[in-house]
Amino acid sequence: MTVAVIQFPGSNCEAETLDALTSLGIPNELISWTNDGDIGHYSGFILPGGFSFQDRIRAGVIAAKLPIIKRLKHASATQQIPIMGICNGAQILVESGLFSTDDSMTDIIDLNYVNDHAIGFMCDWGFLTPFNAQQNVFLRQLNDTDVFPIQICHAEGRFLSKNPPISGLRYCRFDGKTDDSFPITPNGAPLGTAAISNAAGNVLAIMPHPERSIIPERVPLSIRHVIQSYGLKLANIQTLFKAFSS
Amino acid sequence: MILYTTLKQNDLSAVTAEQLFRHFSDQHHGIRRIRRYTKYTITGTFSSAMLFSKISNSHIFHNPNKHVLITDPQSFPLKTAYFCVSRKSPLNLTSKVTAVQKLLEKNDTIESVFESDIWGFDTDSPIDPASFITDALISSPDSIAPFAHPHIHDVTHLSHDDIAHSILQLMAQ
């Protein structure tokens, strides 16, 4: 069962995403946004990070309107295929209306805005913890008390939703305590939301980068010192990808 | 004070939007060409004439290599339909506020700089603004419209007169 990683003009994280899947023993294939063949045989999809269509008009909106996304939405609705959108991939999925709970667009990922300032692009490491983990296929190997470090790298990562998400990930301190103020939540996202699930639980839009964070040696020394000093038992971020191999 | 800028070269966001309608939608809405302008609304206590003169000589709102700081209403073609996409909760561009404040005299102050997009549509035939906003501008799960997200944006139709009036008012000061 093969996972398809969809490449758009301007995607730049597809190689890392493919490498992450390969390192976890998950068969994978890179497909183009122009693919008009059958996609029903793939066991899952990842939309990788980057700047599809240069973020023209709004990050992810152009890619979200393309035929391949329509077909992805159909596969999601009819087969509940696992779909993960990472960073720009998350923006594309949100702009496609996959998370909408009615006929209108109920969710958007807006630009980073903290204390009345647009803070621009940020690249750092932080911690995430799940909420209602059992309600999403990518999170159900985790408990709501789990914590893991992850790389954050975006200028537009602030989830805004008409309704609170049913499941997802939140920014937290190293000890798992959630805090929606800066710097724990680095982008001003209400409730410290870092990832959201759709209602059916088969789609996850995650703004930080799990594909960059699965190799323990990539975790910065400063974070590893915190982990060691406090004797923290952190969750294994690799479990996020287990949905693709089950 | 209201300023308008536009790109000297083809606006790639507008070009991409045209291609989206042309190649990936059954409904073109008669769109032949899309244009994009940026509108800045500056509030505070200052002389508009003085500030405009200083802004014209600065790079705060326009890079002269790339942008036109619009001073002539003819930059907005007459037969184009214009729509302003603005944020429901405007975000104050604090870096621009700081930059503009440095241009001002001692007793003058800048309170806010807000940015919005103006999209212009050249169409085969006259459009009904209200239905055009719903069908071609506001994003929804089932439409190809990309310009405005209903959760954070408002869309208003602007007549050419509205735009021309604000430009001429600024130039007259």
Side-chain angles (χ1 to χ4, degrees), chain A residues 6-11 33 46-53 55 58-66 68-70 72-73 83-99 105 107-109 156 159 203 205-207:
Chain A
I6 307 177
Q7 182 182 34
F8 297 90
S11 296
W33 65 282
I46 298 182
L47 279 64
F51 298 89
S52 61
F53 297 95
D55 288 357
R58 211 163 51 249
V61 71
I62 299 294
K65 305 296 183 182
L66 296 175
I68 194 165
I69 297 299
K70 274 191 197 151
L72 207 64
K73 287 170 70 175
I83 302 171
M84 182 190 285
I86 302 172
C87 204
N88 186 232
Q91 292 162 337
I92 295 168
L93 291 180
V94 169
E95 286 284 354
S96 75
L98 251 177
F99 296 86
M105 300 288 285
D107 304 85
I108 187 172
I109 303 176
E156 299 179 43
F159 280 96
V203 185
I206 176 169
M207 280 311 297

Side-chain angles (χ1 to χ4, degrees), chain A residues 33 54 56-58 61-62 65-67 73 95-96 100 103-105 107-108 110-111 113 116-117 160-162, chain B residues 12-13 16-17 20 24 87 90-92 94 119 139-153:
Chain A
W33 65 282
Q54 291 184 318
R56 290 173 192 173
I57 303 179
R58 211 163 51 249
V61 71
I62 299 294
K65 305 296 183 182
L66 296 175
K73 287 170 70 175
E95 286 284 354
S96 75
S100 290
D103 291 340
S104 70
M105 300 288 285
D107 304 85
I108 187 172
D110 203 4
L111 49 87
Y113 201 70
D116 297 329
H117 291 279
L160 299 176
S161 298
K162 218 172 170 181
Chain B
L12 294 181
S13 291
T16 300
L20 202 59
F24 298 108
R87 284 186 168 260
L91 301 180
N92 195 4
T94 49
W119 295 93
S139 210
S140 77
D142 297 320
S143 88
I144 207 152
F147 304 101
H149 193 292
H151 196 51
I152 62 167
H153 291 129

